[in-house]
Amino acid sequence: MYQQVINLITEMRSNGTLQTGQKLPSLRNLSASLSVSIPTVKQAYVELERQGLVLAKPKSGYFLTQQYASDQPKKARLPNKPMAVSRQQLIEDVFKSIHQPHNLALGVANPVAALPITKTLNRTMRRVMSVMGDKALHYGAVAGYEPLRRQLAFSYMEYALPLAPDDIIITNGAQEALNIALQCVAKAGDVIAVESPCYFGILELIENLGMLALEVPICSEDGLTLQDVKKAINKHPVKACIFSSTIANPIGCELADEAKQQIVELLEDKNIPLIEDDVYGDLYFTEKRGIPAQKYSKKGLVITCSSFSKTAAPAYRIGWIATQKFSQRCAQIKRALSCSSSHMNQITLFEFVRSGDYERYLTQLRSVLMTNKARMLNKLQQLLGDNTRISDPKGGCVFWLEFDSSINSANVFQLALQQNISVSPGMLFSPSNRYQHCIRLSYGLPWNDRLEEGLKVFAAICKEAKNT
Ligand SMILES: Cc1ncc(COP(=O)(O)O)c(C=O)c1O
């Protein structure tokens, strides 16, 4: 209920009905007009105050604070030629430092850290162990635990996708799903179209498999455009594409369903497979979840990859591939790569989903992430001023910051590390060394004083980096 009050105020603030400095209705008046309790309105006001959107003045009431605004990052101009990827060393260096437990992990995209579900998962796993005994510790089937595969196949019914349990292959996270999907449709030397900026794990896979990456620019507001995809595939021998079908990492934009459909039709017309990365699909902030691109496939050339890493536990390493056409080949590659995925973790996740705990958790997690996003955006705008372009994520857990060209994100990365703060420097996200003045920051963290202090330190570092 209080979230609805927050949504109403946020909406009226962005459409201009409520303005900076304006006094909000009293608790009593708003509770009467919305037919909700006074504590509900109070909770909403307190939450808005924590987000920095409202100021409580003793004995006077609640007032809207100044609204900061920043532009969105610009769409990149790219070389438009396929290239060998060489990001592994850089990724290794960054990984070493961003996963140090004492660092404030602004560089790690781990949304569940904002609201850990540890107790529920522990309880579920203990129950599984006591019921299954030794069997939970045995090797499982190559394609995965059948009840979980059936459950996942069932979840696509919502999009009228008639997937069978055999069309689902359980993998070690989405990273292995993407790896298998890539190996299934392309080989060394082939050109793979990726969005730019692109999640660095995909670039590392392309590098590892000896393939070439072709960057297709995405725009902060609308994501990929049909025109850009058309240009890429008309000009180059693209063997396959890997795009985020819902929320993109690092930009956080969401591809509209209509654009998605047009892109799938265009690619299938040329018999080009699309590997869709849907790991952030369930973490949407919009009214409803984006539809997986596979829904629009007529030839079965769309392979869906996803996981529970962003929505339950990355350490479980459980992801999946959904494909009718390529399922047999994917299972063969899976067997060759890792035999099977953790049986124990699959059963635990199956029980977690089946009990309804997962859906309830997702609702809470989305709400916490949305609040974190609003708070962090407000803080960043206040601290960095309006020279920094900041993305407006439609879901997920990261901001993409674009500074002016005087800031080198590699310097910011090093300076931040000296202060025990990790950030992800922009060059990680491009094979052509773009985005040197960009940084990815995560709001998938518990909101506390350390985080607020860390943001201040980060902003001071950015100013320092600009002047050196
Ligand atoms: C866009 C995207 N795809 C795939 C992955 C890999 O996910 P997993 O941890 O399930 O392997 C990540 C993880 O950060 C990601 O951000």
Side-chain angles (χ1 to χ4, degrees):
M1 287 302 283
Y2 83 91
Q3 189 62 49
Q4 284 172 18
V5 180
I6 293 179
N7 292 348
L8 176 74
I9 292 172
T10 317
E11 177 81 37
M12 293 181 87
R13 179 178 148 146
S14 55
N15 71 18
T17 305
L18 294 173
Q19 296 197 330
T20 301
Q22 185 170 346
K23 185 175 178 189
L24 290 174
S26 70
L27 300 179
R28 190 175 299 279
N29 283 351
L30 195 57
S31 94
S33 36
L34 298 181
S35 303
V36 295
S37 68
I38 291 181
T40 300
V41 181
K42 170 101 182 169
Q43 199 179 353
Y45 281 10
V46 168
E47 186 50 46
L48 286 164
E49 192 189 0
R50 286 205 301 167
Q51 292 178 23
L53 302 175
V54 157
L55 182 69
K57 292 191 187 163
K59 299 206 180 114
S60 303
Y62 292 86
F63 295 82
L64 276 186
T65 52
Q66 185 180 349
Q67 193 163 10
Y68 297 94
S70 39
D71 292 333
Q72 300 255 335
K74 284 182 280 189
K75 186 164 143 183
R77 283 221 220 110
L78 296 162
N80 194 15
K81 62 173 195 290
M83 62 183 65
V85 182
S86 158
R87 291 288 86 166
Q88 219 146 29
Q89 189 58 51
L90 181 65
I91 294 172
E92 195 173 315
D93 293 345
V94 174
F95 253 63
K96 262 189 218 145
S97 33
I98 62 177
H99 286 291
Q100 297 287 344
H102 58 271
N103 284 339
L104 178 66
L106 294 173
V108 185
N110 181 21
V112 294
L115 185 70
I117 185 74
T118 323
K119 271 194 193 149
T120 310
L121 286 177
N122 280 352
R123 194 178 353 102
T124 313
M125 190 175 265
R126 274 203 305 275
R127 214 173 38 231
V128 168
M129 267 312 266
S130 70
V131 174
M132 304 278 293
D134 296 346
K135 281 200 195 116
L137 301 177
H138 290 174
Y139 282 116
V142 171
Y145 182 55
E146 207 270 347
L148 179 63
R149 293 162 64 212
R150 193 159 7 99
Q151 182 89 45
L152 288 167
F154 176 74
S155 69
Y156 289 96
M157 190 178 175
E158 194 180 335
Y159 314 107
L161 261 173
L163 292 177
D166 283 350
D167 301 330
I168 307 286
I169 316 291
I170 304 292
T171 58
N172 294 328
Q175 190 68 15
E176 190 182 59
L178 293 164
N179 189 1
I180 293 172
L182 256 179
Q183 293 195 41
C184 192
V185 295
K187 56 180 186 331
D190 284 341
V191 176
I192 311 298
V194 297
E195 53 202 20
S196 181
C198 173
Y199 163 57
F200 51 81
I202 291 175
L203 296 178
E204 192 167 21
L205 276 179
I206 293 177
E207 177 170 357
N208 222 28
L209 295 171
M211 298 169 182
L212 303 174
L214 174 66
E215 294 178 278
V216 184
I218 54 175
C219 136
S220 213
E221 284 95 358
D222 312 315
L224 279 174
T225 67
L226 183 69
Q227 264 159 313
D228 287 323
V229 179
K230 211 182 254 177
K231 204 160 109 191
I233 63 171
N234 285 346
K235 200 154 172 221
H236 302 286
V238 171
K239 190 68 198 245
C241 301
I242 304 190
F243 298 144
S244 354
S245 51
T246 46
I247 314 281
N249 171 11
I251 289 257
C253 58
E254 183 167 12
L255 192 58
D257 292 334
E258 202 177 51
K260 209 178 302 176
Q261 178 167 9
Q262 289 170 346
I263 290 172
V264 171
E265 283 167 3
L266 170 73
L267 295 177
E268 288 205 330
D269 191 44
K270 306 243 175 204
N271 292 320
I272 299 175
L274 167 63
I275 300 169
E276 64 168 324
D277 184 345
D278 194 23
V279 283
Y280 289 104
D282 283 333
L283 299 183
Y284 55 94
F285 302 156
T286 43
E287 220 162 272
K288 58 181 178 47
R289 192 199 193 285
I291 294 174
Q294 189 165 160
K295 151 115 183 138
Y296 303 110
S297 167
K298 297 217 166 62
K299 292 188 176 174
L301 292 179
V302 178
I303 305 179
T304 307
C305 297
S306 192
S307 77
F308 287 103
S309 302
K310 309 297 177 186
T311 53
Y316 278 13
R317 307 307 301 133
I318 299 296
W320 67 92
I321 298 174
T323 166
Q324 289 179 317
K325 199 179 176 76
F326 301 102
S327 59
Q328 238 180 329
R329 180 70 192 126
C330 284
Q332 283 169 346
I333 301 172
K334 163 73 188 170
R335 190 169 55 241
L337 280 180
S338 57
C339 188
S340 61
S341 296
S342 160
H343 197 40
M344 179 78 212
N345 296 351
Q346 291 182 66
I347 307 172
T348 304
L349 284 170
F350 167 68
E351 294 296 338
F352 182 47
V353 176
R354 190 173 66 146
S355 66
D357 283 342
Y358 182 57
E359 268 309 314
R360 279 188 287 278
Y361 172 63
L362 280 179
T363 308
Q364 289 170 0
L365 181 61
R366 280 192 291 266
S367 167
V368 167
L369 289 172
M370 247 191 293
T371 306
N372 275 11
K373 173 194 150 180
R375 288 169 111 172
M376 194 172 300
L377 185 60
N378 206 268
K379 281 263 172 287
L380 288 173
Q381 286 168 337
Q382 216 174 320
L383 292 164
L384 296 170
D386 49 13
N387 281 339
T388 310
R389 292 171 176 267
I390 306 177
S391 64
D392 178 19
K394 301 294 182 293
C397 68
V398 291
F399 285 119
W400 184 242
L401 272 55
E402 184 184 321
F403 296 93
D404 65 45
S405 52
S406 65
I407 287 201
N408 182 330
S409 65
N411 286 348
V412 175
F413 169 71
Q414 291 299 347
L415 290 168
L417 264 192
Q418 288 165 18
Q419 306 281 342
N420 294 334
I421 296 172
S422 79
V423 301
S424 295
M427 309 83 76
L428 278 182
F429 301 86
S430 158
S432 61
N433 242 353
R434 306 279 129 164
Y435 312 120
Q436 305 210 5
H437 55 294
C438 295
I439 282 178
R440 190 191 75 175
L441 276 198
S442 170
Y443 50 85
L445 295 163
W447 196 276
N448 52 31
D449 290 349
R450 180 161 188 227
L451 176 54
E452 291 208 16
E453 196 45 44
L455 291 176
K456 283 188 203 147
V457 175
F458 168 74
I461 288 170
C462 293
K463 287 201 180 116
E464 189 186 328
K466 199 182 169 94
N467 298 328
T468 49

